[in-house]
Amino acid sequence: MAKQNDRPTLATVASRAGVSIKTASRVLNGEKHVAARTAEKVEEAAAELGFRINSTARRLRAGGRSPYIGVVMSDGDDPFQARLFTLLEAELSRVGLRPVVTVTADDLDRERGFLDECLANDMTGICVIRSHPDAARFYADAASAAVQIVSFDPSTAGPGVDLIAGDEERAGRLAATQLLNHGHISLGVIGDHSTSPITTARLAGIQSAFAGRSDIGWRAYMREDAHDLASAKNVVAAWLGSRSAPSALITLSATLTQGAIDACRRLDEWPALVGIDDFPAADLLDVTVIDRDVSAMAAEAVRRLRQVPSSATAQGADGGSFEVPVHVIARGSGEEASGK
């Protein structure tokens, strides 16, 4: 039995068929002007050996582009990232492209290594769903190699990177306004990574909604860096178990929203709640969220990934940007009047 790594090569096919490597290559690449009997021998040898032509290599040799797109995620369990990747994969499939994915778990070295592999394998492009906050310089280096880079994460913004994002400041403002309009003046705000531009923008939006309102209490309840389900659950449980619990909550990501709901369920305490970013069970749970058109984001990303990088990219020109409007999906949890 052949060893697993003893894969047949073009040379072994040519030897089996009794022809030159050049002739075997011409047959397997579908070129014309090869005698029918010769072509038949080569095809029979390839079938017997289990040889398959490397379609990607063939495309690159012919001056075509690789069908592979490198995709960077930080957390495969994050509802927003998972939802966006599902839509992105479907859009890529429609145009004959395929994703090669890494989930970095916020490991900066892993993200850098993956980018190096993408460049070494001549991938057509790189798509960043969520990145390590300190990885921006890596993408600037990759863009200088004239590879198409599209990102949904503002932390990677820079020369040669096309940014597709929602209006994060408006998202925060809408979340706060939704609760203020229903009489809430005591609000708990649960933030994600404090160094993330997304978190910073969402918090700025919340503060802008409170501008000029001295009656709003929220700073005592502000918690940043509760960036996973367990930490959000613990923070909300501590708030709800206190004598001066906030009457409403704003969660800055879908993961944090799920953690808050778990705490509310455990204590059977249900303050008003508005989360930023929708998630699959939100509709069933009647959770009010601020969301954006994720389908439009995925479609725009693929449109840009199919573009051939210009020489301006290699020279350090700024990438383009595409801002997606955000909107309120009111389902009930953010419409509870103060005092209920």
Side-chain angles (χ1 to χ4, degrees):
M1 179 180 294
K3 296 180 181 178
Q4 189 174 7
N5 61 350
D6 286 345
R7 294 186 297 177
T9 65
L10 188 60
T12 56
V13 172
S15 178
R16 173 71 67 91
V19 300
S20 68
I21 293 177
K22 182 177 181 180
T23 298
S25 175
R26 290 175 61 192
V27 172
L28 295 175
N29 281 288
E31 295 181 23
K32 299 179 180 179
H33 310 302
V34 178
R37 179 55 189 152
T38 300
E40 185 178 332
K41 288 194 300 181
V42 172
E43 290 167 354
E44 287 175 354
E48 290 169 1
L49 292 168
F51 176 83
R52 291 184 179 180
I53 194 73
N54 188 325
S55 59
T56 300
R58 181 171 61 190
R59 179 181 289 143
L60 292 173
R61 285 196 300 269
R65 303 177 75 194
S66 164
Y68 296 105
I69 299 292
V71 179
V72 178
M73 303 171 65
S74 66
D75 182 357
D77 293 327
D78 176 68
F80 173 78
Q81 294 186 55
R83 183 164 61 117
L84 183 50
F85 173 72
T86 298
L87 293 167
L88 180 67
E89 184 176 32
E91 290 290 339
L92 289 170
S93 178
R94 289 191 184 98
V95 296
L97 295 174
R98 296 190 288 277
V100 177
V101 188
T102 187
V103 179
T104 65
D106 285 326
D107 185 322
L108 188 61
D109 291 335
R110 183 185 301 180
E111 190 164 345
R112 174 60 185 267
F114 180 74
L115 289 181
D116 289 343
E117 289 182 12
C118 289
L119 296 178
N121 287 283
D122 293 317
M123 290 190 185
T124 286
I126 298 168
C127 186
V128 185
I129 295 181
R130 283 291 181 266
S131 174
H132 190 287
D134 296 329
R137 64 186 186 277
F138 302 156
Y139 294 98
D141 292 342
S144 68
V147 64
Q148 195 74 12
I149 302 177
V150 175
S151 178
F152 301 106
D153 189 336
S155 69
T156 62
V161 178
D162 282 6
L163 181 63
I164 299 173
D167 185 341
E168 305 297 354
E169 186 169 341
R170 177 171 166 76
R173 187 163 57 251
L174 285 176
T177 301
Q178 181 74 7
L179 294 170
L180 292 177
N181 287 345
H182 289 85
H184 295 281
I185 59 174
S186 174
L187 298 97
V189 180
I190 307 173
D192 208 333
H193 293 281
S194 61
T195 57
S196 163
I198 294 175
T199 297
T200 300
R202 290 175 177 178
L203 286 174
I206 291 171
Q207 292 184 58
S208 71
F210 297 156
R213 294 284 301 270
S214 60
D215 58 329
I216 303 298
W218 70 284
R219 293 188 182 279
Y221 298 109
M222 175 63 206
R223 281 295 300 270
E224 295 183 67
D225 287 321
H227 58 268
D228 58 23
L229 191 148
S231 56
K233 180 178 179 179
N234 291 337
V235 166
V236 173
W239 285 345
L240 297 183
S242 69
R243 293 183 177 180
S244 55
S247 69
L249 304 174
I250 299 174
T251 49
L252 299 194
S253 76
T255 295
L256 303 184
T257 305
Q258 291 177 318
I261 291 171
D262 281 353
C264 293
R265 182 185 293 114
R266 182 169 60 135
L267 298 176
D268 196 25
E269 296 284 343
W270 297 97
L273 169 66
V274 176
I276 299 181
D277 291 335
D278 204 5
F279 58 97
D283 192 20
L284 296 175
L285 297 172
D286 297 325
V287 178
T288 294
V289 297
I290 312 300
D291 200 32
R292 78 294 303 279
D293 188 342
V294 182
S295 296
M297 294 172 72
E300 179 65 16
V302 173
R303 186 187 74 79
R304 291 176 181 240
L305 285 167
R306 296 181 70 193
Q307 297 174 350
V308 177
S310 66
S311 58
T313 299
Q315 294 168 4
D318 289 339
S321 62
F322 180 81
E323 189 172 84
V324 181
V326 296
H327 57 279
V328 179
I329 302 178
R331 299 189 177 113
S333 69
E335 290 72 64
E336 291 289 338
S338 179
K340 286 194 175 182

